Amino acid sequence: MCMSGKTKMAKITSGVACSHAPALGVASDSGISNDDYYAPIFKGFEYSKEWIAKEKPDLIFLVYNDHCTAFDASMIPTFALGCAHEYPPADEGWGPRPVPVVKGHRKLSAHIAQSLILDKFDITIMNEMEVDHGLTVPLTMMFGRPEEWPCPVVPLAVNVVQYPAPLGARCFALGKAIRKAIESYPEALKVCAFGTGGMSHQLQHQRAGLINSEWDARFMDLLINDPEQGCRISHVEYLREAGSEGIELVMWYVMRGTLNEDVNEVHRFYHVPASNTAVGHLILENR
Ligand code: DHB
Ligand code: FE
């Protein structure tokens, strides 16, 4: 209780969209983020590191997808909410990334799980979960290489790996329900929502390396200025215009749903190529 007798509530004040290409994590971990190939990409996040150091969120709600790491093909939840005390980086084939263990916030997770399920979003509850590059790379891009991550993270894993992935409109609606959940939590927490993945993105077969910068720019404009329209982009359009893994972009709509209708675009960065894909990054603040 504060002096006025009113309980302070958690509040979502900003959103970050960020690609999560694993090569960026490897570049950071192996100390080559300053070489000719990676320097222009990491430079695009210099402002972001300053911004987040000033913004100082108390907690990050991070939307990402697991890439057959925590979940193998035997079980693929559509929406899985992290409700654990901590989330160890997963071994993705070359050992776990040498980054800090991600600390959670169990009480807030439990509150969000209850609020979402009573709000008819039947999410999966993850009391244990290892996290892959989908979650750790955006933390690296925003915070660099700290001893400990500066704040706890509540993760939400979205299935975009096996058809059928959820629609953008469902992700947008879920984002709104997440906002309602977080902003009914009685603790003065400043929360930043992350949506990760994308952008143009095809890792396999004949169109591998597909980049559609025009479409990516339009996607960002719609996400910011007309999300009600943008969240209706069809699965076929993602596939055709942004490639076979372009569907990762529906996760940006969960983040967008947690924000006000009107947001300020504080920062935009776009770079091609990074490994085989386009790096896209936005910082949005509630107006
Ligand atoms: C790449 C990007 C991804 O999002 C991913 O999960 C795997 C690879 C890439 O850019 O290579
Ligand atoms: Fe991915």
Side-chain angles (χ1 to χ4, degrees), residues 19-22 64-67 132-134 160-161 196-198 201 203 245 248 251 277:
S19 299
H20 62 220
Y64 78 110
N65 68 291
D66 180 75
H67 302 73
D132 70 10
H133 64 271
V160 290
V161 166
T196 78
H201 207 134
L203 301 175
E245 284 79 42
E248 284 190 349
M251 296 185 292
T277 61

Side-chain angles (χ1 to χ4, degrees), residues 84 105 112 247 287:
H105 189 312
I112 296 171
I247 191 69
R287 224 176 253 168

Side-chain angles (χ1 to χ4, degrees), residues 11-280:
K11 192 157 183 57
I12 300 179
T13 54
S14 58
V16 168
C18 184
S19 299
H20 62 220
L24 302 178
V26 174
S28 169
D29 301 342
S30 57
I32 57 165
S33 55
N34 265 331
D35 76 7
D36 290 350
Y37 185 84
Y38 287 106
I41 304 169
F42 281 81
K43 220 167 167 339
F45 286 83
E46 269 172 22
Y47 172 82
S48 313
K49 290 192 179 80
E50 286 167 23
W51 174 85
I52 205 153
K54 269 202 214 126
E55 174 75 4
K56 267 201 186 34
D58 297 308
L59 184 129
I60 291 170
F61 187 88
L62 197 150
V63 186
Y64 78 110
N65 68 291
D66 180 75
H67 302 73
C68 294
T69 309
F71 314 117
D72 64 28
S74 68
M75 179 190 56
I76 302 179
T78 299
F79 295 116
L81 181 71
C83 294
H85 173 60
E86 59 182 30
Y87 307 93
D91 184 341
E92 300 183 54
W94 293 272
R97 284 192 63 207
V99 292
V101 167
V102 177
K103 305 287 186 204
H105 189 312
R106 290 183 79 174
K107 264 181 92 171
L108 177 61
S109 288
H111 173 85
I112 296 171
Q114 168 171 292
S115 180
L116 288 180
I117 289 169
L118 299 184
D119 213 4
K120 307 190 194 77
F121 285 90
D122 305 319
I123 46 112
T124 298
I125 292 168
M126 300 299 298
N127 290 322
E128 285 179 26
M129 185 162 70
E130 292 188 335
V131 291
D132 70 10
H133 64 271
L135 184 140
T136 61
V137 166
L139 292 181
T140 295
M141 300 314 285
M142 294 301 291
F143 295 115
R145 304 172 70 181
E147 287 276 302
E148 297 291 335
W149 299 119
C151 65
V153 175
V154 172
L156 177 79
V158 178
N159 167 43
V160 290
V161 166
Q162 179 174 320
Y163 186 85
L167 294 169
R170 185 64 173 158
C171 290
F172 190 47
L174 175 60
K176 292 181 183 189
I178 288 165
R179 178 180 198 168
K180 197 163 114 190
I182 289 176
E183 296 194 345
S184 62
Y185 185 72
E187 188 184 332
L189 294 174
K190 188 179 187 187
V191 178
C192 177
F194 279 32
T196 78
M199 298 201 75
S200 294
H201 207 134
Q202 174 134 355
L203 301 175
Q204 64 227 305
H205 207 49
Q206 286 164 350
R207 296 205 306 163
L210 173 138
I211 302 283
N212 187 347
S213 303
E214 264 176 50
W215 189 91
D216 286 343
R218 205 153 2 103
F219 176 88
M220 290 198 265
D221 292 343
L222 267 181
L223 178 92
I224 295 162
N225 301 315
D226 193 359
E228 293 288 349
Q229 181 68 26
C231 76
R232 293 196 203 110
I233 294 170
S234 68
H235 280 24
V236 170
E237 180 171 344
Y238 281 113
L239 179 66
R240 186 183 61 229
E241 302 295 335
S244 52
E245 284 79 42
I247 191 69
E248 284 190 349
L249 286 168
V250 292
M251 296 185 292
W252 292 25
Y253 271 96
V254 182
M255 176 275 287
R256 185 65 183 90
T258 69
L259 300 178
N260 288 353
E261 212 175 303
D262 289 329
V263 289
N264 288 329
E265 179 181 331
V266 175
H267 182 54
R268 182 188 294 215
F269 175 65
Y270 184 81
H271 178 90
V272 288
S275 77
N276 238 356
T277 61
V279 169

